[in-house]
Amino acid sequence: LKYGMHLDRDYFLDIVYKIQSIVPIVCSLTVYPANAYLLLIDGPSMMGEIRAAYLINLVTHVFFDWVFSFFIRFYAFPPYGLFYCEGILCGEGAKKQLIMGLLATAIMAVIPTFYVLMVRMHQMVVVVDIESRWKLSLKTQIVIYASLFIVAIANVIGFVLFTSDVENFEELVMGPDLAWMKARGGSLVLFGEPGKRSLFVNG
């Protein structure tokens, strides 16, 4: 196949999906419980707000792992503006806007919670230096947090609104490069073909 997609078909796709199915289970049974134990049981000296930020960020990481591993197992196929997915939602034929919205939510949930944690920890260090230009008032921090959440929500909305296949979708998926994906039974979101402008990116 063109662009070496026969390698994805015969080898890489199944290998990636197997890894995606194993890693979140291992992390959910080892890494995440260990983190929660350290935060809740073994970290009494940690400031309450920092502990809370860590826990919220931990929850978003668990959510991210399970969305990308079981509900929507995602695989991109450059140079096509294409993503293919299998999993609970993709196999049930869920609307593509729902799939993209959940993907975007899983990604965006991690970002603002991580930055809230980083800013709070940074301010704990900066507050020692009373004259530091990087010491931010609580109001300024709230504005930063609110802006991050607004941008994250706008991204999710954008992913949902601009998710649409190219006009010649049916023609493209019947070709040899993509027909095997349709035969696997998953969902395809095709934003563009190689060398042509993508409506999704422009939107």
Side-chain angles (χ1 to χ4, degrees):
L1 298 179
K2 289 190 295 184
Y3 315 115
M5 294 179 73
H6 56 284
L7 298 175
D8 297 287
R9 179 195 63 196
D10 297 338
Y11 304 106
F12 298 140
L13 183 60
D14 288 326
I15 291 172
V16 169
Y17 279 171
K18 286 178 182 177
I19 293 172
Q20 283 183 321
S21 299
I22 294 170
V23 170
I25 295 175
V26 173
C27 289
S28 295
L29 295 176
T30 57
V31 178
Y32 296 142
N35 287 346
Y37 174 82
L38 291 173
L39 290 170
L40 296 172
I41 307 299
D42 203 34
S45 61
M46 185 181 293
M47 291 178 60
E49 60 185 286
I50 300 299
R51 185 186 293 117
Y54 263 119
L55 284 170
I56 293 172
N57 191 244
L58 178 62
V59 170
T60 60
H61 276 280
V62 174
F63 176 65
F64 177 94
D65 277 1
W66 283 80
V67 166
F68 271 80
S69 301
F70 294 103
F71 291 97
I72 305 169
R73 287 198 295 270
F74 169 88
Y75 196 94
F77 285 94
Y80 281 92
L82 162 74
F83 96 77
Y84 172 78
C85 75
E86 294 180 6
I88 296 173
L89 284 182
C90 299
E92 293 297 324
K95 288 186 177 180
K96 296 179 181 181
Q97 287 80 5
L98 172 62
I99 293 172
M100 291 299 289
L102 186 57
L103 279 176
T105 300
I107 295 169
M108 291 300 152
V110 176
I111 297 172
T113 56
F114 174 77
Y115 275 101
V116 168
L117 175 61
M118 290 299 100
V119 170
R120 290 305 302 145
M121 293 182 67
H122 176 265
Q123 289 302 294
M124 288 175 58
V125 177
V126 170
V127 77
V128 176
D129 183 3
I130 300 176
E131 302 300 324
S132 174
R133 71 172 69 181
W134 300 111
K135 184 179 180 182
L136 304 176
S137 67
L138 180 59
K139 185 181 293 187
T140 301
Q141 292 181 53
I142 291 173
V143 170
I144 292 172
Y145 304 150
S147 300
L148 285 169
F149 278 101
I150 290 171
V151 169
I153 292 170
N155 269 274
V156 174
I157 294 172
F159 268 82
V160 173
L161 291 180
F162 294 106
T163 294
S164 59
D165 294 311
V166 292
E167 293 181 358
N168 57 336
F169 173 82
E170 293 298 335
E171 175 187 342
L172 290 172
V173 298
M174 294 302 292
D177 288 341
L178 307 180
W180 62 272
M181 293 183 217
K182 192 170 184 181
R184 282 181 66 109
S187 294
L188 291 83
V189 180
L190 184 57
F191 300 118
E193 52 187 310
K196 296 188 178 181
R197 299 177 67 183
S198 168
L199 297 175
F200 177 77
V201 173
N202 293 336

